[in-house]
Amino acid sequence: MDNNILKAEHIVKTFTKHTALDDVTIEVPRGKVYGLLGPNGAGKTTLIRIINHITAPDSGVVTFNGHQLTAADVANIGYLPEERGLYKKMKVGDQAIFFARLKGLSKQDATKALKEWFERLEISSWWDRKVEELSKGMAQKVQFIVTVLHRPELLIFDEPFSGFDPINANVLKREILRLRDEGSTVIFSTHNMASVEELCDNISLINKSHNILTGSVRELRREFSDNSLEFSFLGEQSKLTEALQPFTREISSNGIDRDGFLSVSLKLNSGDDLRDAIAKANEAVDLRSFRQVLPSMDEIFIRSVEMFNQNNPQQ
Amino acid sequence: MNSQLSTIIAREYLERVKRKSFIISTILMPLFMVGLMVLPALIAIFQTPEEKVIAVIDESGVVAKTLQNGDETKFVVVDKPLADILGNEGYYGVLSIGANIVEKPSNATLYTHSASSMSLENYISNQIKETVESIRLRKYNIDNLPEILAAVQADVNLQTFRIDESEEASETSSTLSYFIGIIMSFMLYMFILIYGQMVMTSIIEEKNNRVLEIVVSSVKPTYLMLGKILGIGAVAVTQILIWLIIVLSFSYWVMPSLMSGVVAGANDPELMAALGRLSDGSYVLSLFVYLLLFLVGGYLFYSSIYAAIGSAVDNIQDASQLTTIAVLPIILGMVLSPSVVADPMSSYATWISIIPFTSPLVMMARIPFGIPFWEIALSIVLLYLTIGFMIWLAAKIYRVGIFMYGKKPNITELIRWARYK
């Protein structure tokens, strides 16, 4: 079988006044966590809705498990929308069963699976309470469970951590990774770049209705590397600065690090200078450690979006 | 049936039927209606009438002694000139009768301080008329006059029959048909508006708290809309069935005993006929079957419009403009119903009872008059065919509308949404 669980190819979707998606292609590998990133209003939610068969694209093809996506495939997808709510007057348990039955589970199966999940997320005591009594974070847990309960092959989470405190956000991250390890594929849309580095294997960056960057997180970070290094050493900083002068664009002191060594951050002119730079530094001071600093997804996000916007000012 | 659809219908239905407000209103509404009918009678009973004293100046000398005091009216013969008592506030009014009243019956005048009432005027002129007539009759010197008069007296009560196509005469009473027609079309009006609005507010609520986004992640938007319309419609049908049971049991058990009581006392063929029809269970049942058909039809027709509007707006205030246009035909139907029952067989009444926009209300108002079956059938068929189209159109708008936030759309926009892929 195809290694990609989902392919969306050349998707175009226009609304009356603007183009939401313009020739966007993404390929989501099976069993991975796929990040769908992009500024507000870039077209992510529209793309997700197309993948989830809620709206139809003007042109382009979505392939799921090797065949063209149909309404029946939605049973194999779990989608947690960004804007989400529950029926306020309904009891939590009844409501969860209602949603589970919409996903095709029988009442007995739904109840059994729900009890397990409620146990795991420590919310069993809410079963008979009305939704309006729950806090936002509590309601989010219920929504999360409802999304994953029917064990779909593909899970789509749109901003899953909004409204969560750090402790519960971690619980959720753990559960998402556990689901991935059990074989689910996850599409994960967020503005929280730290969680992208933590969770995502691959990403696509959607900006102004275009897919402007796509690839594995690890490779992208290397690709976007600006040759930043961090040295810690014993000795005089001025000697080190002098020795590295020919190779560096920038050099700045970080003071003394945790281990009591002096520390500097620097950017090399070129990656090819790395060996020479280390040799020179070693002569000048007593070098204790060095490491390459890869750019954060935050930086990659900002740089890509700004570059795209500069090159395409008309949009 | 599709299991998702039935799950949604079940939720919409149970959520509402289990509410206290539904149970209370279902039981209280019939009581309220009965109350409305009984209330005027009760008010009349407990109201103590003000006595009106009327001074009588009788120059003829024959009328005053025959005037009978009524419940509210008391006559006092005075022997003063008219000008002297006109200013006397102690009297409600002054009745002046000319000397030649027998020859010239118009020679009687009533002066009052405040506006007199029609009933008072009739009360007085009838009495004068009787007196004058009997004086005139006596002039012929007929023997046994009172006996003759009693013998010729006749009370006419017109009973109307209509000859059906089956050549079987069925009893019709237009007054009763009139009231049943008006009540039925009013019931439809209330049901369609109340339950249609319920569909709309419920959709707006789902849209606002974003639960809709979660539902459409597993269900097609069309199913959600359809499920909501059908679920709430089932609530309406439940309510009307409960009322049917109340009314039917009333006509089977209460009416017969009421009838026997009435038979002993009153002697009013019109009332008897009315009571007779209402105690006829099969007649009541047939009315209810039609009511149910038009209720479901009218509800589906208008609730799909309400659903489309609800999907397009963010709050009820924004919806008001669109709903005003949408419910115009139904209000028109309500306004036209009285003129329809006044002449139920006119071609104008026939037409607006067949065109789907107004047909449920108007046809329901006509049915008690016993119109040809084919007209009813045509009206129902047309209505249900149009519903299919309306729901299809509403679904197209709904699908787009539910994801539109923030701006207040107008009709042209709704039509454009309906054309989206």
Side-chain angles (χ1 to χ4, degrees):
Chain A
M1 200 189 266
D2 197 336
N3 193 34
N4 292 321
I5 186 168
L6 180 99
K7 272 195 263 184
E9 291 164 294
H10 309 292
I11 302 291
V12 177
K13 176 77 183 177
T14 40
F15 293 110
T16 326
K17 288 189 183 87
H18 79 287
T19 304
L21 295 169
D22 189 1
D23 197 20
V24 169
T25 297
I26 65 166
E27 295 186 349
V28 182
R30 191 181 298 278
K32 304 280 185 190
V33 179
Y34 194 92
L36 201 55
L37 320 179
N40 295 319
K44 285 173 301 188
T45 302
T46 307
L47 181 59
I48 291 175
R49 280 184 186 150
I50 288 171
I51 293 171
N52 213 41
H53 215 268
I54 294 170
T55 39
D58 298 338
S59 67
V61 184
V62 181
T63 316
F64 182 75
N65 266 340
H67 61 266
Q68 186 163 352
L69 182 79
T70 65
D73 292 321
V74 176
N76 261 323
I77 301 178
Y79 170 35
L80 181 70
E82 176 178 10
E83 301 273 9
R84 48 192 180 253
L86 295 169
Y87 289 107
K88 288 199 184 109
K89 302 274 176 202
M90 246 179 137
K91 283 181 183 164
V92 173
D94 290 348
Q95 181 145 217
I97 290 174
F98 168 70
F99 283 114
R101 297 199 63 191
L102 288 184
K103 300 279 190 186
L105 269 67
S106 72
K107 196 175 176 182
Q108 291 80 359
D109 291 350
T111 313
K112 189 165 165 278
L114 280 168
K115 295 275 187 194
E116 275 174 34
W117 268 104
F118 272 51
E119 200 79 23
R120 199 203 319 273
L121 294 190
E122 296 165 356
I123 55 173
S124 298
S125 59
W126 304 349
W127 187 268
D128 277 325
R129 283 170 65 184
K130 280 193 180 172
V131 169
E132 56 192 351
E133 299 168 30
L134 304 188
S135 73
K136 194 182 171 202
M138 290 167 159
Q140 305 265 59
K141 273 192 181 174
V142 178
Q143 290 156 349
F144 176 82
I145 293 174
V146 165
T147 309
V148 302
L149 187 76
H150 62 301
R151 306 207 143 266
E153 288 179 63
L154 178 64
L155 288 162
I156 305 175
F157 298 115
D158 200 345
E159 290 293 350
F161 305 119
S162 67
F164 276 111
D165 61 68
I167 295 170
N168 279 312
N170 270 334
V171 171
L172 213 61
K173 273 178 203 162
R174 195 187 67 212
E175 292 300 329
I176 290 175
L177 289 175
R178 196 176 62 82
L179 286 163
R180 181 197 64 183
D181 295 342
E182 288 176 5
S184 296
T185 308
V186 178
I187 295 179
F188 176 46
S189 169
T190 185
H191 296 123
N192 182 345
M193 293 303 139
S195 60
V196 171
E197 282 165 35
E198 247 176 286
L199 293 174
C200 295
D201 303 300
N202 299 63
I203 62 122
S204 274
L205 176 55
I206 313 281
N207 184 42
K208 300 202 170 169
S209 62
H210 290 85
N211 182 356
I212 63 170
L213 186 70
T214 204
S216 96
V217 171
R218 219 171 279 163
E219 281 165 21
L220 282 174
R221 288 183 69 193
R222 242 176 264 153
E223 210 175 284
F224 272 76
S225 159
D226 53 359
N227 302 311
S228 290
L229 299 175
E230 231 175 66
F231 283 14
S232 48
F233 57 94
L234 289 171
E236 286 179 38
Q237 193 179 321
S238 57
K239 278 191 179 167
L240 182 69
T241 311
E242 198 180 314
L244 291 176
Q245 190 61 40
F247 310 107
T248 52
R249 285 177 283 153
E250 270 175 56
I251 188 159
S252 61
S253 167
N254 296 334
I256 293 166
D257 70 10
R258 295 191 292 203
D259 302 324
F261 304 123
L262 281 167
S263 162
V264 291
S265 292
L266 53 95
K267 280 181 185 165
L268 295 181
N269 291 326
S270 148
D272 302 336
D273 297 336
L274 184 57
R275 281 165 171 274
D276 295 339
I278 291 169
K280 291 282 180 200
N282 207 21
E283 287 168 15
V285 293
D286 183 3
L287 205 54
R288 287 304 155 112
S289 76
F290 89 96
R291 75 185 181 97
Q292 184 161 26
V293 181
L294 291 178
S296 67
M297 285 311 292
D298 236 353
E299 285 171 58
I300 295 174
F301 182 101
I302 293 167
R303 271 164 59 190
S304 305
V305 168
E306 279 176 352
M307 203 174 2
F308 181 85
N309 291 353
Q310 273 165 20
N311 297 340
N312 301 276
Q314 77 283 2
Q315 285 187 319
Chain B
M1 196 182 1
N2 180 298
S3 78
Q4 288 184 329
L5 190 59
S6 52
T7 306
I8 293 172
I9 294 175
R11 197 201 80 85
E12 296 290 341
Y13 179 77
L14 292 175
E15 274 295 286
R16 287 181 175 78
V17 173
K18 282 195 284 190
R19 267 183 218 165
K20 280 196 199 81
S21 61
F22 174 80
I23 297 164
I24 291 171
S25 71
T26 305
I27 294 167
L28 282 191
M29 194 62 191
L31 291 179
F32 178 71
M33 295 283 260
V34 170
L36 266 190
M37 283 186 270
V38 174
L39 200 64
L42 285 180
I43 290 173
I45 289 169
F46 290 110
Q47 208 177 33
T48 45
E50 199 185 331
E51 194 172 64
K52 293 168 182 161
V53 182
I54 293 174
V56 182
I57 302 170
D58 185 7
E59 289 170 14
S60 67
V62 290
V63 175
K65 58 187 178 209
T66 65
L67 285 174
Q68 303 281 324
N69 290 335
D71 292 339
E72 299 174 39
T73 322
K74 200 177 167 197
F75 298 101
V76 179
V77 182
V78 291
D79 195 14
K80 285 177 189 167
L82 179 64
D84 286 2
I85 33 175
L86 271 187
N88 189 335
E89 295 278 343
Y91 298 115
Y92 176 80
V94 181
L95 176 65
S96 162
I97 294 166
N100 58 347
I101 184 79
V102 178
E103 291 75 33
K104 193 169 176 283
S106 59
N107 198 2
T109 321
L110 179 68
Y111 303 91
T112 53
H113 293 292
S114 55
S116 71
S117 67
M118 183 121 66
S119 63
L120 177 67
E121 284 163 26
N122 283 339
Y123 183 72
I124 293 172
S125 56
N126 276 341
Q127 291 207 37
I128 296 175
K129 179 173 177 273
E130 266 175 38
T131 308
V132 169
E133 280 175 359
S134 72
I135 292 172
R136 285 180 180 181
L137 268 175
R138 250 179 278 144
K139 284 183 181 163
Y140 291 97
N141 287 322
I142 303 169
D143 291 334
N144 308 328
L145 185 64
E147 289 82 6
I148 295 172
L149 283 179
V152 295
Q153 193 178 20
D155 276 333
V156 179
N157 238 312
L158 193 63
Q159 291 184 58
T160 53
F161 290 86
R162 181 178 152 277
I163 301 148
D164 270 355
E165 281 146 358
S166 59
E167 305 230 345
E168 225 180 279
S170 73
E171 197 177 341
T172 62
S173 155
S174 352
T175 323
L176 183 67
S177 301
Y178 182 92
F179 281 114
I180 293 179
I182 292 280
I183 289 172
M184 300 272 256
S185 84
F186 182 68
M187 269 178 77
L188 271 184
Y189 173 78
M190 288 209 331
F191 261 87
I192 292 173
L193 281 192
I194 290 174
Y195 282 93
Q197 290 242 331
M198 207 182 274
V199 169
M200 184 180 78
T201 47
S202 160
I203 288 174
I204 294 176
E205 208 183 295
E206 279 183 7
K207 189 178 168 183
N208 272 339
N209 75 12
R210 304 294 204 269
V211 66
L212 199 139
E213 305 252 352
I214 296 215
V215 182
V216 298
S217 73
S218 39
V219 180
K220 276 181 164 299
T222 310
Y223 282 165
L224 177 59
M225 185 191 89
L226 209 57
K228 183 168 291 290
I229 290 179
L230 294 178
I232 294 178
V235 179
V237 171
T238 306
Q239 188 159 54
I240 211 141
L241 284 180
I242 293 174
W243 292 357
L244 168 68
I245 290 167
I246 293 175
V247 171
L248 272 186
S249 40
F250 188 74
S251 62
Y252 270 119
W253 289 301
V254 184
M255 285 304 262
S257 59
L258 206 66
M259 286 277 288
S260 53
V262 173
V263 169
N267 188 13
D268 185 343
E270 177 78 16
L271 180 68
M272 294 295 297
L275 291 177
R277 271 177 94 188
L278 287 180
S279 61
D280 176 1
S282 68
Y283 171 75
V284 175
L285 192 63
S286 78
L287 277 184
F288 258 102
V289 169
Y290 284 130
L291 183 66
L292 215 54
L293 278 173
F294 280 106
L295 170 77
V296 171
Y299 162 79
L300 289 176
F301 186 93
Y302 279 97
S303 66
S304 59
I305 299 179
Y306 272 117
I309 294 173
S311 74
V313 299
D314 291 350
N315 54 60
I316 294 175
Q317 287 77 29
D318 285 356
S320 63
Q321 197 188 346
L322 290 166
T323 47
T324 313
I325 303 169
V327 300
L328 214 58
I330 201 175
I331 292 172
L332 200 70
M334 189 61 211
V335 172
L336 292 180
S337 286
S339 72
V340 165
V341 291
D343 188 3
M345 300 305 155
S346 66
S347 66
Y348 142 82
T350 310
W351 276 112
I352 60 171
S353 67
I354 287 176
I355 297 168
F357 277 93
T358 45
S359 68
L361 258 65
V362 176
M363 188 51 97
M364 212 53 233
R366 288 181 70 212
I367 284 178
F369 292 91
I371 57 164
F373 176 73
W374 70 266
E375 284 188 21
I376 305 178
L378 177 65
S379 176
I380 290 175
V381 169
L382 268 183
L383 180 64
Y384 279 80
L385 284 180
T386 336
I387 288 166
F389 170 74
M390 293 303 287
I391 288 181
W392 172 81
L393 187 71
K396 298 212 105 189
I397 296 172
Y398 179 87
R399 214 173 35 132
V400 179
I402 48 174
F403 296 119
M404 296 288 177
Y405 295 103
K407 63 175 178 176
K408 191 170 139 187
N410 52 34
I411 287 190
T412 39
E413 225 150 344
L414 295 192
I415 293 167
R416 198 171 51 227
W417 293 354
R419 294 211 215 105
Y420 276 168
K421 190 180 171 186

